[in-house]
Amino acid sequence: MPPSLQARLNVALLIVALVGLVAGLGLMLAAENELATFAWSIGVFPVLAALIVEIVRSLAKGEVGLDIVAALSMSAALLFGETLAAAVVALMYSGGTFLESFAEGRARREMSQLLSRVPRTATRHRDGKLEDVPLEDIEPDDLLLIRQGDVAPVDGAVEGERAILDQSALTGESMPVRLSRGRDVMSGSTNAGEAFDLRVTRRASESTYSGIVRLVEAAQASKAPMARLADRYSLLFLLITMVLAVSAWWFTGDPIRAVAVLVVATPCPLILAVPVALVAGLSRAAQFGVLIKGARPLESLAGVRTLVLDKTGTLTDGRPQIVSIETLDSVSQDQLLFFAASLEQASKHPMALAIVSSARERGRALQIPEQVVEIAGEGLVGVVDGRDVVVGGASFVAGMLGATVPEPGILEAGSALVSVAVDGKLVGHIIMADALRSGAARLLAGLRKLGIDRIMLATGDRHAVAQAITVGLGLDAVHSEMTPDQKVQLVLDERESHAPVMMVGDGVNDAPALAAADVGVAMGARGSAASAEAADVVLLVDHLDRLLPGIEIAQGARRIALQSVAAGIGLSVAGMMAAALGYLTPVQGALLQEAIDVAVILNALRALRIQPQALSSPC
């Protein structure tokens, strides 16, 4: 049955049960006892009929649920003339079902907001004019106008001087972020500043936001393993209930005690508290930029003990950055960067993009280069501000100058050298590297505090690079020069000896290992579509430290679910014992169980308010 139709049916059954109970109470006060009994029965029959249909469907699928206890209690109450108790149970069951669906709806509110915010059209620059076009018509390299308050419909880069964006719906960061020219914009971000132009980098169907929506829909369709555990043990609980009910009737000769036992046992909080708490945990994690694809990964995340990290794009930023600038003669670092960045505007090489981005972040105004010639993979030559400039590898620049280019001292493993010459003379070098994310050591320490005992690196990079980047991090093991299948084998070996295992990566080569791990985590902001598809958890923002609140929320949601189950089952069993001993009438038992169900659902909703303590600064 579609969710919307099921929700309407739940409301209708609740109204019928409520009207029947209230009408019967009114007739009883008017001394119309026979009519009161009729009114209560009328309120019970639709609920009981719907319940029996649901039980038949479950049995057809081989599932034995605790709804059988509810059906038995209502049937027994009607059979022995306890129509008021039957009406209370009907109201309790229909009310509990409605409250459960309402609670899950509230828990999914933040996720649903993602779906409702999907833009359908965009404003595109075309031939000096602006036109509104459907998202499917937008192509990479199109130029879009993002007005104040608009949601970025696709992934792109800031084309103007700057943009101020609210990314709270995606990352949970309350403060808007300021992005300079050329910086990446995630689809789904809201323009919190003046209008700016966005250069499209991906089609709408491939954008960050579309991927997030697909993952949200998958998360909402999941079913918790703890809920399945409840289904498996429902037969045992049903047996205990029936033994208590029959024993009470057998030893006292009073069938009403059996009815009271059945009423108190219905419905079991186990089938209410678990899904509510876990879905609430999914919603809470999404607020911190951690999209967990379902309740199974959330539970697995709560119990992770081993972590395997990829290097590039995960432990490191994944993009080359300027480590230092060395100049010769009287040229300043600012001048050298000006000439290099101005010429590099003509190239799409990752190092060129990094140099240009660094110059703009420093506020340096660049010149448009002229007469540019690029030798693929080697370097560029051109004219900047009337001066001849050469930028590239040391051997390329040496060849262009016809002379030996002196290089700086020994470079650290993994570093790259970009040489710069102006007017036929070497003026210096730019040293670049894929740097370790800031705060990485604090992040790993925080993960250990959350119960992760074993942390290791698995990378395809050379051994020297892997060793150099991990100095001082205190990793338990460093595995280098690994192929994708070797990463998978490492994960499987760790699962054998140190399960459960979490793997974090961002590239296509990480996808198999992510799928093999108990919990695969993908860097969704800039990672590959393959890794996001294979992973169980996606970090919506390029901050590895989001693992900390994600794990803490998962642990908290699971703890709240178990607390709710233990308290609810304990109270139910105590109530059943009291009913068997004659201390509770069927009506009193029904009211007690109603209170227990409401209490465990409200307790489970505490997962919406979990406040992670281990949220470090972004890294």
Side-chain angles (χ1 to χ4, degrees):
M1 183 180 297
S4 58
L5 183 57
Q6 183 64 56
R8 288 196 292 269
L9 178 60
N10 291 340
V11 173
L13 292 176
L14 176 60
I15 292 174
V16 168
L18 179 60
V19 170
L21 179 61
V22 172
L25 290 174
L27 290 168
M28 184 182 68
L29 292 176
E32 297 288 348
N33 293 334
E34 291 186 6
L35 290 177
T37 299
F38 179 75
W40 289 328
S41 300
I42 291 298
V44 171
F45 283 132
V47 177
L48 181 57
L51 183 53
I52 291 173
V53 170
E54 187 61 33
I55 291 171
V56 170
R57 288 176 178 170
S58 298
L59 291 175
K61 293 186 291 185
E63 299 176 357
V64 179
L66 291 164
D67 291 343
I68 293 176
V69 181
L72 287 173
S73 65
M74 279 186 271
S75 301
L78 290 175
L79 180 63
F80 291 104
E82 292 288 339
T83 51
L84 175 56
V88 173
V89 172
L91 178 63
M92 174 187 65
Y93 181 81
S94 58
T97 304
F98 170 79
L99 184 58
E100 179 185 1
S101 61
F102 172 79
E104 291 191 12
R106 176 186 170 187
R108 288 188 174 101
R109 185 176 303 160
E110 290 80 7
M111 288 187 175
S112 298
Q113 286 176 350
L114 284 175
L115 297 174
S116 64
R117 296 173 71 254
V118 178
R120 303 300 177 191
T121 61
T123 303
R124 181 173 63 186
H125 290 276
R126 179 59 58 89
D127 300 328
K129 299 179 181 179
L130 293 174
E131 58 179 5
D132 287 334
V133 295
L135 289 191
E136 54 268 21
D137 292 348
I138 296 175
E139 297 290 335
D141 208 39
D142 280 350
L143 188 64
L144 306 182
L145 174 65
I146 309 298
R147 301 182 179 89
Q148 187 173 27
D150 282 355
V151 175
V154 294
D155 292 346
V158 178
E159 186 74 9
E161 290 300 318
R162 68 178 184 275
I164 300 175
L165 296 171
D166 176 5
Q167 298 179 334
S168 58
L170 301 175
T171 68
E173 296 179 355
S174 58
M175 297 297 292
V177 296
R178 184 185 298 269
L179 301 179
S180 58
R181 182 187 295 271
R183 294 290 299 275
D184 293 335
V185 175
M186 288 190 295
S187 54
S189 304
T190 301
N191 183 12
E194 298 298 324
F196 70 95
D197 288 336
L198 178 76
R199 182 67 66 179
V200 178
T201 56
R202 293 181 182 176
R203 294 182 175 87
S205 59
E206 302 168 351
S207 70
T208 299
Y209 200 74
S210 294
I212 291 171
V213 169
R214 288 191 294 271
L215 294 175
V216 167
E217 292 170 339
Q220 291 178 334
S222 69
K223 185 179 182 184
M226 286 181 70
R228 289 189 287 269
L229 184 66
D231 293 339
R232 290 199 299 269
Y233 281 94
S234 61
L235 186 59
L236 176 61
F237 188 84
L238 175 60
L239 179 61
I240 293 173
T241 301
M242 294 305 298
V243 168
L244 280 174
V246 172
S247 298
W249 188 358
W250 178 267
F251 288 108
T252 66
D254 183 4
I256 301 304
R257 290 198 184 188
V259 174
V261 171
L262 292 172
V263 166
V264 175
T266 311
C268 179
L270 188 61
I271 62 176
L272 297 175
V274 173
V276 171
L278 297 185
V279 173
L282 298 179
S283 174
R284 185 60 172 159
Q287 295 178 29
F288 287 85
V290 182
L291 183 59
I292 304 174
K293 291 187 180 180
R296 180 187 293 276
L298 183 138
E299 281 198 273
S300 299
L301 188 61
V304 164
R305 293 294 176 266
T306 299
L307 171 62
V308 180
L309 285 167
D310 175 47
K311 182 185 78 69
T312 305
T314 303
L315 194 59
T316 66
D317 185 65
R319 293 177 291 190
Q321 299 178 15
I322 295 179
V323 176
S324 63
I325 299 176
E326 297 187 6
T327 62
L328 302 174
D329 296 333
S330 59
V331 176
S332 68
Q333 290 186 357
D334 189 59
Q335 289 175 316
L336 185 149
L337 186 60
F338 163 74
F339 285 116
S342 294
L343 183 58
E344 294 279 31
Q345 290 179 105
S347 174
K348 291 186 176 181
H349 191 279
M351 287 191 183
L353 297 176
I355 292 172
V356 173
S357 177
S358 177
R360 286 173 173 165
E361 288 175 357
R362 299 185 188 194
R364 192 67 169 90
L366 304 180
Q367 292 287 329
I368 297 177
E370 301 174 345
Q371 303 176 31
V372 180
V373 177
E374 180 174 9
I375 309 301
E378 298 288 339
L380 300 92
V381 296
V383 177
V384 175
D385 200 21
R387 305 180 70 176
D388 295 326
V389 179
V390 181
V391 178
S395 59
F396 172 76
V397 173
M400 297 301 298
L401 297 181
T404 303
V405 172
E407 298 185 13
I410 299 175
L411 296 175
E412 292 187 4
S415 297
L417 187 69
V418 177
S419 299
V420 182
V422 178
D423 291 336
K425 183 178 181 181
L426 182 71
V427 295
H429 308 281
I430 299 175
I431 300 172
M432 308 190 72
D434 182 12
L436 187 71
R437 292 177 184 267
S438 61
R442 292 195 307 274
L443 167 67
L444 299 184
L447 290 171
R448 292 190 186 276
K449 288 181 180 179
L450 292 177
I452 297 181
D453 304 318
R454 184 170 170 81
I455 303 176
M456 63 189 68
L457 182 73
T459 178
D461 278 352
R462 291 176 291 110
H463 181 72
V465 175
Q467 290 292 337
I469 204 71
T470 56
V471 171
L473 293 182
L475 297 179
D476 296 289
V478 176
H479 301 274
S480 56
E481 302 181 25
M482 300 195 78
T483 61
D485 60 322
Q486 289 174 329
K487 287 186 178 182
V488 170
Q489 190 59 50
L490 173 64
V491 169
L492 295 177
D493 291 343
E494 289 298 321
R495 286 185 64 182
E496 277 292 319
S497 54
H498 303 95
V501 176
M502 176 168 63
M503 168 72 189
V504 184
D506 76 322
V508 174
N509 62 330
D510 296 319
L514 294 175
D518 294 288
V519 181
V521 180
M523 304 293 293
R526 289 191 290 112
S528 71
S531 64
E533 183 70 23
D536 304 297
V537 179
V538 179
L539 303 185
L540 303 182
V541 62
D542 192 32
H543 293 165
L544 187 59
D545 71 339
R546 298 295 164 168
L547 278 176
L548 297 174
I551 294 173
E552 198 168 347
I553 289 169
Q555 292 175 345
R558 188 175 186 276
R559 183 169 57 250
I560 288 171
L562 291 174
Q563 289 171 352
S564 299
V565 167
I569 292 298
L571 290 172
S572 292
V573 172
M576 291 162 61
M577 296 293 292
L581 295 173
Y583 293 112
L584 289 175
T585 66
V587 173
Q588 291 170 337
L591 293 174
L592 173 63
Q593 187 58 54
E594 175 78 356
I596 292 173
D597 292 338
V598 172
V600 297
I601 290 176
L602 294 176
N603 182 69
L605 281 173
R606 290 193 299 116
L608 284 171
R609 300 192 301 273
I610 295 174
Q611 187 58 48
Q613 300 299 316
L615 182 58
S616 64
S617 58
C619 68

